[in-house]
Amino acid sequence: MTFETTGTSAARREPRLLRHYIDGEFVAGAAAFDDLSPVDGSLIARVCEADAAAVDRAVLAARAAQRAGWGTTTPAQRADWLHRIADGIQARFEDFVAAEVADTGRPLVQARTLDIARGIANFRTFADLVRTAHSEFFETHAADGSELINYVTRKPLGVVGIISPWNLPMLLFTWKVAPALAMGNCVVAKPSEETPATATLLAEVMHEIGLPRGVFNLIHGHGPNAAGEFLTRHQGIDAITFTGESRTGSAIMKAVADGVKDISFELGGKNAAVVFADADFDAAVEGVLKSSFTNAGQVCLCSERVYVERPIFERFVAALKDKAEAIKVGSPYEEGTTMGPLISQGHREKVLSYFRLAVEEGATVVTGGKVPTFGDARDQGAFVSPTIWTGLPDTARCVTEEVFGPVCHIAPFDSEDEVIGRVNDSAYGLAASIWTTRLERGHRVARQIETGIVWVNAWFVRDLRTPFGGTKLSGLGREGGRHSLDFYSELTNVCVRIA
Ligand code: NAD
Ligand code: 6OD
């Protein structure tokens, strides 16, 4: 593979110190850690590590700001603020793109069209939703003949703790920050230690537009026994919303149990794609290519299990192999790159351990399973090649456990009932996609799949008004549209006798 020297390499940037944003000020602390480029291992920035005292200050600042005014602003005022935040991101769009690409190594086009664009859309969508939110209303006729009306009012929860992962940093961070602020809460938010850059830029935007101090607080740091855990254990938090691994969700659930805090969890998955023989073949191959390899497979919605109806199985495997081998793996600063590295050397170790395990479990490696070599600085990065396996039993660990890399296992199936059973036989239940030209079949199968999201002839098309979340180990609760408005507020039913 060639390495073009055009473009801006993360390696050439001056390391900066990324600070916390607490009570309207950027503050450092005693400790800091390295933010390394997954493209070539170079130092991007030093990042402050919040200790318990910093987390405490952030929670107290959020509480004070919530009581001092944010909690009593009108929905229309908050909607205006959210649009101003969106405008602020838009004004620094290319800074956000550069920061996201430096932290993750993803292709520039993805950062522009998905990550940063969605960050803006999250603020605009929840601004519009909160402005137009309506209440429930019921007329009641009691047994004694009296008449009453019921209506529901919403109050903010108070202070919301937000913890987000590294795979879609800006998209997932703002997906929580926007609705939390829209509903009148103040937030203390912690991005992943792997991807602190866009969250820091967002704090700069909040500062530049003059958002009242304490409304948005940013803390950096690690998870267990560090900033993340200090936040979840803090008694001043009213709710935690978390996106990340299922076992982290379990640890957070224990941490918040004593305080009986509200929680919303978007967790891991082992998603399936089902391709029926009647599918539009080319569309299905293209769809599964996207659903398995987008963002190097580091999207919680990616399909790592692909089931293909037997008559087209061999043809489908061959076609997907050709497409996977045409993916251009490399630096985001290189023209034509369609897949960047994994997020870190540590995560690559995990993915490579599954590559080895697949062989031990008896897989046929159709393509990939390797670390590409470049003969330049990218060899210090965290690249792997797009990988396809076949031949594993449904019970294999590589078919049941989330790898979170550019990999899928393809298996044949013979009947609709059989494939529904196999898709549902999973500890996870986040998403599935079905490829068929028989739409009644699409509806019928979708209704029987035990996941929070099912796409038919599509993948990762998002209408932000729809519920988003998973069943089983994939999560707890739903966010999106009115489901976010519900999670980020307390509902009070007011019942009034009128006659
Ligand atoms: P992770 O669980 O390791 O970390 C996520 C965040 O939690 C980070 O900010 C981390 O610092 C923090 N954290 C870790 N341990 C903690 C603890 N004990 N207490 C408090 N905070 C803690 O997840 P990750 O590796 O960053 O992300 C990848 C995982 O996220 C995958 O499993 C993926 O499927 C999942 N994910 C799910 C969704 C979804 O919508 N369902 C979306 C994106 C990612
Ligand atoms: O699109 C979204 O709203 C969302 N929460 C996507 C999650 C992707 C997981 O990696």
Side-chain angles (χ1 to χ4, degrees), residues 1-4 38-40 327-331 334 337 339-341 348 370-386:
M1 297 201 182
T2 58
F3 180 56
E4 298 178 12
V39 176
D40 56 14
I327 290 173
K328 187 173 177 203
V329 179
S331 160
E334 194 183 348
T337 292
M339 194 177 107
R348 182 169 73 172
K370 298 192 184 86
V371 171
T373 50
F374 300 93
D376 56 39
R378 289 171 295 177
D379 291 338
Q380 271 67 61
F383 294 90
V384 294
S385 43

Side-chain angles (χ1 to χ4, degrees), residues 163-166 190 193 228 242-245 248 266-268 300 402:
I163 300 181
S164 61
W166 47 257
K190 191 194 90 60
E193 58 276 21
F242 166 74
T243 307
E245 282 196 38
T248 311
E266 293 174 8
L267 308 176
C300 59
E402 182 185 52

Side-chain angles (χ1 to χ4, degrees), residues 424-483:
N424 287 341
D425 188 14
S426 171
Y428 294 99
L430 185 57
S433 47
I434 301 164
W435 297 89
T436 177
T437 51
R438 287 175 51 193
L439 269 191
E440 87 288 357
R441 163 178 264 168
H443 287 291
R444 185 171 62 238
V445 174
R447 291 158 71 103
Q448 294 176 75
I449 301 271
E450 296 166 354
T451 58
I453 303 141
V454 183
W455 279 285
V456 180
N457 297 327
W459 178 75
F460 203 5
V461 178
R462 294 280 292 116
D463 181 325
L464 306 186
R465 297 167 299 181
T466 60
F468 185 97
T471 66
K472 308 183 203 172
L473 281 185
S474 292
L476 201 56
R478 295 289 180 275
E479 296 196 38
R482 74 168 178 82
H483 306 276

Side-chain angles (χ1 to χ4, degrees), residues 343-373:
I343 191 65
S344 63
Q345 295 279 358
H347 185 53
R348 182 169 73 172
E349 269 319 302
K350 177 186 159 189
V351 172
L352 291 178
S353 76
Y354 279 102
F355 284 6
R356 291 189 291 272
L357 180 65
V359 174
E360 285 162 29
E361 289 187 310
T364 298
V365 181
V366 175
T367 188
K370 298 192 184 86
V371 171
T373 50

